[in-house]
Amino acid sequence: MKVRRKAVGLVAGVGMAAGTMLATAPAAQAQAPDAVQATGSAERVGSGQRATVPPAPVNNRASAGITATSPKISPSAGYKYVVSAGSYTCDYGNLCTPVWDPTVGKWKVFFLYYCNTYSLSYWNGEGNYYNNQTTGTKAHFYNSSGGTYQTSTAPDPNRPIDWDPVWKIKNC
């Protein structure tokens, strides 16, 4: 089940009221560039495609006064961190999904290779995805009621997406 921002804010308020220190993203992130757009650039790199992540989002959790929580996925999948406006290689056979991680101030890129329905937690804000799976493979992004929010047919490089309404991803 995906945890929404309102629930996170409530937990943060309770933790602070109890005198517990909660980790937040660095305040410097609040001055990040104000545009979050997929660059759409990609280049061939060996068996994968190089893709870029957007600049850091302006409205991150720390600047909103809400406790930061790292995005998670279940079942687990491989991931790596990429700096704002950096690049990564999305190997053939993967659906690559960058989502902003306010706890480290970087994009957390998940590599969805195995055919599965993945449940998302703490995926918020704008991001993008790169569908570099076998040609013709469809990825489905589902909302909270199980309806289709967006679909993608491979190859589909660096497409922008709003992660707020996405609760599950079926990559095949």
Side-chain angles (χ1 to χ4, degrees):
M1 174 168 68
K2 184 170 178 179
V3 178
R4 307 309 294 170
R5 288 184 209 172
K6 291 178 184 172
V8 173
L10 178 61
V11 171
V14 171
M16 287 178 198
T20 305
M21 291 188 68
L22 299 171
T24 59
Q29 293 172 18
Q31 298 174 8
D34 59 0
V36 177
Q37 298 174 354
T39 62
S41 66
E43 62 182 85
R44 194 96 171 115
V45 180
S47 65
Q49 295 283 335
R50 181 156 301 282
T52 56
V53 294
V58 160
N59 60 345
N60 64 54
R61 300 300 149 250
S63 64
I66 298 174
T67 301
T69 304
S70 182
K72 297 178 182 9
I73 193 166
S74 178
S76 64
Y79 67 88
K80 76 178 218 172
Y81 283 101
V82 178
V83 297
S84 176
S87 65
Y88 64 95
T89 300
C90 184
D91 288 335
Y92 185 72
N94 284 277
L95 173 64
C96 301
T97 56
V99 59
W100 185 252
D101 187 340
T103 64
V104 295
K106 294 180 181 178
W107 292 95
K108 190 173 188 178
V109 182
F110 288 94
F111 301 96
L112 310 183
Y113 177 80
Y114 295 103
C115 180
N116 228 321
T117 300
Y118 297 88
S119 296
L120 314 180
S121 298
Y122 305 106
W123 287 46
N124 297 299
E126 299 296 319
N128 62 10
Y129 63 85
Y130 192 125
N131 189 350
N132 197 25
Q133 299 181 96
T134 306
T135 301
T137 302
K138 289 190 183 233
H140 303 272
F141 302 84
Y142 299 109
N143 61 26
S144 62
S145 63
T148 300
Y149 170 70
Q150 193 165 323
T151 59
S152 167
T153 303
D156 194 10
N158 258 18
R159 296 290 178 205
I161 190 167
D162 178 4
W163 291 120
D164 286 336
V166 180
W167 288 49
K168 292 186 180 205
I169 298 173
K170 182 172 177 78
N171 64 321
C172 54

